[in-house]
Amino acid sequence: MGEADLIIFPSLPESYICRYQEQNLTMDEEYDVIVLGTGLKECIISGMMSCSKKKVLHMDRNKYYGGESASLTPLEDVFKHFGMPMPDKMDKYGRGRDWNVDLIPKFLMADGKLVKLLVDTGVTRYLEFKSVDGSYVMKTDKGKNKKIFKVPSNEKEALASSLMGLMEKRRFRNFLIAVSNFDENDPTTHKEIQPNMTCQDLYNKFGLDNNTADFAGHAFALYRNDIYKQQNCKDFIKRMQLYQTSIARYGKSPFLYPLYGLGELPQGFARLSAIYGGTYMLDKPGSEPVFEDGKVIGVKCGDEMARAKIVVCDPSYALDKCKKVGQVARAICILNHPIPNTSDAASCQIIIPQNAVNRNDGKCVTAGGTMRHSVTARGTMKQCVTAGGTMRHSVTARGTVRHSVTTRGTMRQCVTVGGTMRHSVTARGTMKQCVTAGGTMRHSVTARGTVRHSVTTRGTMRQCVTVGGTMRHSVTARGTMRHSVTTRGTMRHSVTAGGTMRQSVTARETMRHSVTAGGTMRHSVTAGGTMRHSVTTRGTKIYIYVSCISDTHNVTSKGFYLAIVSTLVETNNPEEELRPGLDLLGPIEQKFVSVSDLYEPLADGSVDNLYITKSYDETSHFETTCIDVLDVFKRAYGSEWDSKVVEHNTQQDEAGY
């Protein structure tokens, strides 16, 4: 390990360290704040509260620090934690105490929020970090082969990279320069960039293609989905600038990782809290918040009770006040070699976008062999093939049906131009021909007494009455169907809002219920072997994250590597969803797979004074973690975190506290 790679901060004064201890005190006392759980988030909040002159009691049901984000050592404890038998030849992994295995490994942005918190609170005084060797992204090349590309960390790497063509590199360079120079408060820097632009407008302004946009948004700005493209570009620009300033700090990549693993971080903040008067109690199983008249009044453990008007906890201490929002699958893998195609990097991050592994935007489960294939882009169905004589093929562009072919006497062909139906031919005596111009129905011919009356205004059907058991009544507003009633087992009722179908009920075992939000189907239940259940998430793309560390960070024995693959769970086979990441690793010596539930609080804590942190997400960095920490602190404390209080107390303590 070269000294240039090692980031060492000044050591903590001995007078500080000797005063840190777990006090053997009883709980029966009044506190300003009680914190339950010693995960990283809770330890940071505890330290911040103590520095802000709050009397803090910090408890944990476990005998060790870290909670869900603990670092396990020796290696034998890792096998026990995952309930796996230890191999016959454990000695091949070297000394067990050389291993520090993080249950939720994440990197720190060198100029990010967590590093700033570490510096603000002085915790950096007794931690050592080492920069990560590089960041990579998986992309599909012109030959449809999946390859790993290094995210350029300087201009030389950018020019040599095969991520983009020559002309695209020039456009991307101009884009980076403009983004780097942009200052929201300085209009002279708003040359190519207007503050009211969306991110997609910004990409279009510089002529960047979709591949470059994905690369910038997810490898640089670290967004977890594509919703940001339709949002204002200010946050995106700040994220891009953070990536650039983080790289500028230490050169090879924007990421840092602490020596001896992430377990040092919660312990560091725990020491900070104790230094400023915080009381710690571990091994307190059964600890739970106590309420009176709808407000928290303290924490009870057995026959003991500590009182406080504010309680902060992780979701596991108040599951009845949380909602499950998903699951994260993680695979911790022991390797005896670096990850292939990373230039033998001792540490790295790899981001695998959804479009590189063809993962669906949501989840679709069918029964009875109906829906066979569905691919969407920007939340719009691109192709759908079914069996049983229903819809055979449907292709849309910008949300408009371009071509549809069905059998069994239903719609045979439908072609539209500019979102208006131009020609439609059906069988069995229904609508024979319909031609419109300028979006208004001009001519309609039917057979067998179907359509009897049709009136349109400005291209919108206002009323339609038919006989023969077909459409009876339809009224629309602004081109959106508001109400429709039919007979003979067809559509019975349909109500939409904002152009999105909210509810649909039909007969004869067709669609029973459908609810959408934000224009995306959230839930659908049918009978008769058709679609049973379908859930999507706003057209979100699911990403896979791979992080790798080794003995250079003092977390493994010499010559070994720890690779961690994580992603959001979409199916009943989480390990298979990790497969694209696992396939990158090469031969795996040992694998530990876990699935964790993701929880978020149901309320913000303003009513009952119980402030609950969110579960750790699937990302390989701590930026989202710190956003949650700062938000919880602000709500619980009543104002933003002010680092000046730490600087003042530090000077006071060094003077003889």
Side-chain angles (χ1 to χ4, degrees):
M1 182 189 311
E3 290 187 5
D5 296 327
L6 187 61
I7 303 156
I8 303 176
F9 298 96
S11 60
L12 190 70
E14 187 65 30
S15 59
Y16 277 33
I17 298 175
C18 67
R19 297 207 46 223
Y20 167 68
Q21 57 182 340
E22 294 172 17
Q23 300 95 329
N24 293 317
L25 302 175
T26 60
M27 288 178 56
D28 300 319
E29 196 172 337
E30 184 83 24
Y31 296 88
D32 296 322
V33 181
I34 298 176
V35 180
L36 295 177
T38 55
L40 178 59
K41 291 184 180 182
E42 293 71 39
C43 285
I44 294 176
I45 294 171
S46 175
M48 293 164 71
M49 287 289 186
S50 293
C51 290
S52 301
K53 300 182 180 179
K54 294 291 185 182
K55 185 178 180 182
V56 177
L57 170 63
H58 200 158
M59 304 169 61
D60 197 304
R61 62 170 69 96
N62 299 312
K63 297 180 180 180
Y64 55 85
Y65 288 92
E68 191 181 7
S69 58
S71 184
L72 300 182
T73 186
L75 184 59
E76 289 78 3
D77 284 0
V78 180
F79 284 88
K80 293 177 183 177
H81 177 83
F82 288 97
M84 297 181 63
M86 280 179 276
D88 295 333
K89 298 181 179 180
M90 276 295 292
D91 57 346
K92 71 176 182 178
Y93 297 118
R95 296 185 303 178
R97 63 178 180 272
D98 288 339
W99 293 79
N100 294 278
V101 180
D102 296 318
L103 297 180
I104 303 180
K106 290 176 180 285
F107 293 141
L108 291 75
M109 294 286 285
D111 200 31
K113 292 181 175 64
L114 182 52
V115 168
K116 290 179 180 178
L117 280 174
L118 288 165
V119 173
D120 287 346
T121 56
V123 174
T124 51
R125 294 165 178 253
Y126 41 87
L127 289 176
E128 299 176 47
F129 295 84
K130 187 178 185 295
S131 60
V132 175
D133 286 348
S135 183
Y136 295 79
V137 63
M138 175 189 278
K139 302 291 290 183
T140 303
D141 62 16
K142 294 181 179 179
K144 303 299 182 182
N145 298 312
K146 297 177 178 63
K147 293 185 178 180
I148 297 175
F149 297 89
K150 189 176 189 300
V151 179
S153 60
N154 54 54
E155 188 171 348
K156 181 179 178 181
E157 286 187 357
L159 292 173
S161 174
S162 55
L163 264 172
M164 297 169 278
L166 183 60
M167 296 304 296
E168 187 70 5
K169 286 178 182 178
R170 180 177 296 179
R171 289 190 288 268
F172 188 60
R173 179 179 181 274
N174 294 335
F175 167 79
L176 289 179
I177 292 174
V179 166
S180 178
N181 293 333
F182 180 84
D183 183 350
E184 183 181 354
N185 300 317
D186 184 1
T188 63
T189 65
H190 302 176
K191 296 177 181 178
E192 296 94 347
I193 303 175
Q194 298 302 318
N196 60 347
M197 276 182 168
T198 66
C199 295
Q200 187 61 57
D201 292 337
L202 184 58
Y203 289 143
N204 295 339
K205 176 71 175 179
F206 287 88
L208 301 182
D209 62 27
N210 290 335
N211 285 332
T212 306
D214 282 344
F215 167 66
H218 302 292
F220 273 82
L222 301 178
Y223 282 106
R224 297 162 60 194
N225 53 55
D226 282 343
I227 297 174
Y228 82 94
K229 289 185 178 180
Q230 306 309 320
Q231 297 173 345
N232 187 276
C233 66
K234 293 178 184 177
D235 179 67
F236 168 75
I237 291 173
K238 290 178 181 178
R239 288 170 175 248
M240 292 289 293
Q241 291 174 341
L242 170 61
Y243 194 95
Q244 292 172 321
T245 56
S246 293
I247 284 182
R249 288 270 183 172
Y250 304 111
K252 291 192 294 186
S253 85
F255 298 111
L256 303 175
Y257 200 77
L259 297 187
Y260 304 103
L262 295 175
E264 295 297 301
L265 291 177
Q267 291 190 59
F269 282 102
R271 294 186 185 105
L272 175 73
S273 179
I275 288 167
Y276 287 98
T279 300
Y280 274 77
M281 294 184 181
L282 300 182
D283 195 18
K284 288 289 183 179
S287 301
E288 59 180 1
V290 179
F291 298 87
E292 188 175 281
D293 297 328
K295 291 187 178 292
V296 72
I297 59 171
V299 171
K300 185 177 181 180
C301 180
D303 297 330
E304 295 181 293
M305 180 172 171
R307 294 186 172 272
K309 295 181 179 180
I310 295 174
V311 173
V312 178
C313 67
D314 70 46
S316 68
Y317 287 89
L319 288 176
D320 59 324
K321 293 183 177 292
C322 297
K323 60 182 177 181
K324 182 179 174 181
V325 295
Q327 291 181 308
V328 174
R330 296 184 177 91
I332 300 173
C333 304
I334 297 177
L335 312 177
N336 60 7
H337 57 83
I339 296 178
N341 304 312
T342 60
S343 302
D344 294 338
S347 56
C348 66
Q349 174 197 245
I350 303 173
I351 296 176
I352 306 176
Q354 176 267 351
N355 55 21
V357 293
N358 297 322
R359 291 183 66 177
N360 290 333
D361 288 354
K363 177 167 59 178
C364 179
V365 181
T366 67
T370 309
M371 185 172 284
R372 293 300 179 89
H373 183 63
S374 177
V375 179
T376 67
R378 299 185 185 179
T380 305
M381 184 172 287
K382 290 294 185 181
Q383 187 182 47
C384 179
V385 181
T386 68
T390 318
M391 184 176 285
R392 291 304 176 98
H393 185 66
S394 176
V395 181
T396 67
R398 298 186 181 179
T400 305
V401 174
R402 294 292 179 176
H403 185 68
S404 177
V405 180
T406 68
T407 60
R408 296 192 180 178
T410 319
M411 184 175 285
R412 293 290 182 173
Q413 188 183 48
C414 176
V415 181
T416 67
V417 179
T420 305
M421 185 175 286
R422 290 304 175 97
H423 186 68
S424 176
V425 180
T426 68
R428 297 194 179 178
T430 318
M431 185 175 285
K432 291 294 186 179
Q433 188 183 50
C434 177
V435 181
T436 67
T440 305
M441 185 175 286
R442 293 306 176 97
H443 185 65
S444 176
V445 180
T446 69
R448 299 189 184 180
T450 312
V451 175
R452 290 302 178 91
H453 184 66
S454 176
V455 180
T456 67
T457 305
R458 296 183 183 179
T460 304
M461 183 175 286
R462 293 296 179 178
Q463 188 182 48
C464 180
V465 180
T466 69
V467 296
T470 316
M471 185 175 285
R472 291 304 176 94
H473 184 67
S474 175
V475 180
T476 68
R478 297 183 182 178
T480 304
M481 183 173 287
R482 293 295 179 175
H483 185 69
S484 175
V485 180
T486 68
T487 59
R488 296 192 181 179
T490 317
M491 183 175 285
R492 294 288 179 163
H493 183 67
S494 175
V495 181
T496 67
T500 304
M501 183 173 286
R502 294 292 177 173
Q503 188 182 48
S504 175
V505 181
T506 68
R508 295 193 183 179
E509 298 185 343
T510 316
M511 185 176 285
R512 294 292 179 177
H513 184 67
S514 176
V515 180
T516 67
T520 305
M521 182 174 286
R522 289 305 179 112
H523 185 67
S524 176
V525 180
T526 68
T530 315
M531 184 179 286
R532 293 291 180 174
H533 185 67
S534 176
V535 181
T536 66
T537 307
R538 298 182 184 178
T540 302
K541 294 183 176 181
I542 306 301
Y543 282 67
I544 300 174
Y545 297 86
V546 181
S547 55
C548 179
I549 46 182
S550 64
D551 61 285
T552 59
H553 283 91
N554 296 344
V555 295
T556 70
S557 291
K558 186 71 173 177
F560 284 93
Y561 299 75
L562 279 174
I564 302 89
V565 185
S566 59
T567 190
L568 287 177
V569 174
E570 294 182 289
T571 70
N572 293 326
N573 192 354
E575 187 171 347
E576 190 60 30
E577 296 184 57
L578 297 170
R579 181 60 52 195
L582 296 173
D583 289 344
L584 294 178
L585 306 183
I588 298 173
E589 289 288 311
Q590 185 66 53
K591 180 172 58 180
F592 307 95
V593 179
S594 65
V595 177
S596 303
D597 292 333
L598 288 177
Y599 291 102
E600 291 183 0
L602 290 170
D604 63 3
S606 59
V607 175
D608 57 10
N609 292 334
L610 177 67
Y611 300 91
I612 307 171
T613 58
K614 297 178 182 179
S615 301
Y616 296 93
D617 60 35
E618 79 283 6
T619 59
S620 54
H621 55 82
F622 274 116
E623 290 306 291
T624 53
T625 298
C626 289
I627 291 173
D628 188 34
V629 165
L630 294 172
D631 179 57
V632 171
F633 176 85
K634 179 181 178 181
R635 287 187 277 116
Y637 185 72
S639 63
E640 301 273 1
W641 162 248
D642 184 6
S643 61
K644 293 180 180 178
V645 64
V646 183
E647 295 171 358
H648 172 74
N649 286 347
T650 300
Q651 293 170 1
Q652 186 181 44
D653 291 342
E654 288 178 342
Y657 174 76

